């Protein structure tokens, strides 16, 4: 009974809990990556406690992988040594942590997962209460298997209408951020629902849950249906939906007339219709990230780049989010298409999203990215500009060398 | 007296600690990079006890704890903002960096003003006026009293939090 987050946390603690209550709850898995991991290890070691469960503890090498510096290699070494000492075998260097967590079976509908990365909200698409935390919280969970949560109030986003061709989940999320602002859901659970979300595939729902944190949400949940279980290759465990829920707010969105959206610098809530920004010159296009780095995103891009050439004045970087997505892209000929089109394809990981390696922006440079953050300095120089959009817009823009409308492509 | 370092709205963890500078866990090294691009003179000019006063959504974005850790290691005695991003606020409490939500202070002070912050009571005196910050939650107060989340859990376990909720 209640909102999705109330339902999940009530089941977990074995008594009915409601928004405003604070609970200490067991988690199903705990994750850190190559940048947040070492600080989590420091916190864990300070506790002088044994590890809670090595098989539910995950480290992902993705933010700087392969390492690009002595400092990054040093962080990786510290994680490997820690894992060896405590018998942790879940050391993954096969792509972006949030996609790997899903692929590797750590996420279950109705579960509770915490990660030392803000986009841990991504798992909410699978009906899992999942939230990002800092390294200290994660180190404590590695030792105890638990964390504390204030049960959040819920903002329900009820979505109706059919998305037009070239318009995707990313555009829905950006249009919501335009309406609510960058802290519009601060401390709240966001519940994505309605017929449009039910009709979406899981790849698109994962984009919605991913971007939920970028307007402040503690978690971004989608209802569980047959598609959820199928995506996870699990027998159907039944639906999970809110019932008799009391919401802090309900936002109704009709996407029938939505056009592609672009978040313009200097902040994510500066969202404009694509038509207002078309023609803006670009120095870089990045396609990938935990928002839009799945095989479905790669397929959209390959379909548009097939047999064509990206603009010679724009560096185009494409990164399948995981090794699995990379192999699928190889098998389907997408990688061949990307390379022949003149794009640079890089190893599965976070890539340019956080400005630490590959395509770091210089002052005055302008990028369009399928990632989710455009704060000044995010991808390199604080004097660079970052525009955020869906993969189809990114592909059309890579071809044109300027922000371009995919609906004008054949 | 503490001096004010005043920041605007939406200061992200990328602005506090850019992703190209946090490949270390050493607090002293992180302090040198604190606001390195957003306010390059910060590290040179900040003194122990100074106070950051910010607008809305301070610390938004990445969960990187290097951001509050770098502020703490810079000697800043408190961050007072109109609002904080959720993860940053929790990280700061966990580390023992005092954070105070206060609606009115930001508009009332300028960079370099002198203020007195009473962390225990959440009050700030600036320009002869007293500003009252919001009281922290019972859990946040419990962690702050212990010094840090690590100290609380190490010495008292989860019971220390379960008994105040």
């Amino acid at each position: 009974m209640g909102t999705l987050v109330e339902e999940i946390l009530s089941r977990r603690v074995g008594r009915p809990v409601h928004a405003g209550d604070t609970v200490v709850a067991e988690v199903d898995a705990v994750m850190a990556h190559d940048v947040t991991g070492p600080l989590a290890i420091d916190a864990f070691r300070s506790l002088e406690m044994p590890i809670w469960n090595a098989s539910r503890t995950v480290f992902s090498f993705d933010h700087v992988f392969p390492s690009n510096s002595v400092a990054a290699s040093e962080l990786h070494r510290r994680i490997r040594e820690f894992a060896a000492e405590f018998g942790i075998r879940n050391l993954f260097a096969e792509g972006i942590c949030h996609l790997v967590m899903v692929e590797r079976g750590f996420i279950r509908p109705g579960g509770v997962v915490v990660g030392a990365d803000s986009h841990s909200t991504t798992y909410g698409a699978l009906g899992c209460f999942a939230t990002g935390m800092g390294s200290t919280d994660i180190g404590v969970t590695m030792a105890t298997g638990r964390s504390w949560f204030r049960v959040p109030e819920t903002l329900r986003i009820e979505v109706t209408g059919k998305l037009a061709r070239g318009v995707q989940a990313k555009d829905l999320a950006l249009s919501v951020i335009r309406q609510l602002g960058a802290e519009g859901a601060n401390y709240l659970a966001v519940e994505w629902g309605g017929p449009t979300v039910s009709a979406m595939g899981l790849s698109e729902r994962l984009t919605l849950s991913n971007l939920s944190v970028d307007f402040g949400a503690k978690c971004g949940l989608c209802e569980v249906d047959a598609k959820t279980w199928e995506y996870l290759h699990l027998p159907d465990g039944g639906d999970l939906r809110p019932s008799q829920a009391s919401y802090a707010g309900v936002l109704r969105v009709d996407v029938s007339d939505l056009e592609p959206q672009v978040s313009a610098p200097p902040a994510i809530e500066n969202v404009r219709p694509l038509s207002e920004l078309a023609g803006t010159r670009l120095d870089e296009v990045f396609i990938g990230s935990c928002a839009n780095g799945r095989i479905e995103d790669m397929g959209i891009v390959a379909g548009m780049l097939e047999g064509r050439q990206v603009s010679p004045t724009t560096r185009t970087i494409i990164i399948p989010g995981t090794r699995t997505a990379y192999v699928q892209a190889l098998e389907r000929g997408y990688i061949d298409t990307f390379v022949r089109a003149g794009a640079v394809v890089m190893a599965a990981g976070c890539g340019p999203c956080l400005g630490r390696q590959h395509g770091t922006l210089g002052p005055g440079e302008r990028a369009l990215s399928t990632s989710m953050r455009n704060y000044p300095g995010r991808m390199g120089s604080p004097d660079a500009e970052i525009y955020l959009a869906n993969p189809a817009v990114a592909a059309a823009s890579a071809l044109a060398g300027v922000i371009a409308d995919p609906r004008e492509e054949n | 007296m503490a001096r004010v370092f005043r920041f605007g709205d939406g200061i992200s963890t990328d602005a506090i600690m850019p992703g190209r500078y946090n490949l270390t866990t050493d607090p002293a090294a992180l302090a040198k990079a604190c606001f390195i691009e957003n306010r390059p003179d910060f590290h040179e000019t900040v003194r122990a006890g100074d106070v950051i006063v910010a607008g809305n959504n301070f610390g938004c974005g990445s969960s990187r704890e290097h951001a509050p850790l770098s502020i703490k290691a810079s000697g800043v005695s408190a961050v007072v903002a109109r609002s904080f991003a959720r993860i940053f606020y929790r990280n700061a409490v966990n580390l023992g960096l005092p954070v105070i939500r206060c609606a009115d202070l930001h508009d009332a002070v300028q960079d370099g003003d002198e203020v007195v912050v009473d962390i225990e009571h959440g009050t700030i005196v600036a320009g002869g006026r007293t500003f009252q910050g919001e009281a922290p939650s019972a859990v946040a107060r419990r962690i702050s009293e212990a010094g840090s989340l690590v100290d609380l859990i190490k010495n008292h376990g989860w019971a220390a939090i379960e008994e105040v909720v």
Side-chain angles (χ1 to χ4, degrees), chain A residues 32-46 59 69-79 82 116 134-136 356, chain B residues 17-33 64-74 95:
Chain A
H33 56 64
D34 43 359
V35 176
T36 58
L39 273 180
I41 290 168
D42 288 352
F44 174 88
R45 289 191 187 281
S46 298
F59 286 98
S69 62
V70 172
S73 293
E74 172 67 10
L75 297 181
H76 291 171
R77 186 184 62 74
R78 284 167 64 184
I79 293 171
F82 176 75
S135 296
T136 295
R356 206 177 271 122
Chain B
M17 178 54 56
R20 284 161 293 125
Y21 294 89
N22 69 344
L23 294 175
T24 174
T25 56
D26 173 29
L30 290 169
K32 281 186 185 169
R64 62 186 71 148
E65 200 164 296
H66 311 74
L69 185 54
S70 73
I71 292 173
K72 188 184 180 200
S74 297
L95 288 172

Side-chain angles (χ1 to χ4, degrees), chain A residues 31 36 77 135 147 156 159 178 196 233 243 298 315 322 329:
Chain A
M31 184 279 294
T36 58
R77 186 184 62 74
S135 296
S147 194
R156 171 86 178 180
V159 191
R178 183 192 63 214
T196 309
H233 309 291
S243 67
M298 297 296 125
R315 51 175 186 267
T322 64

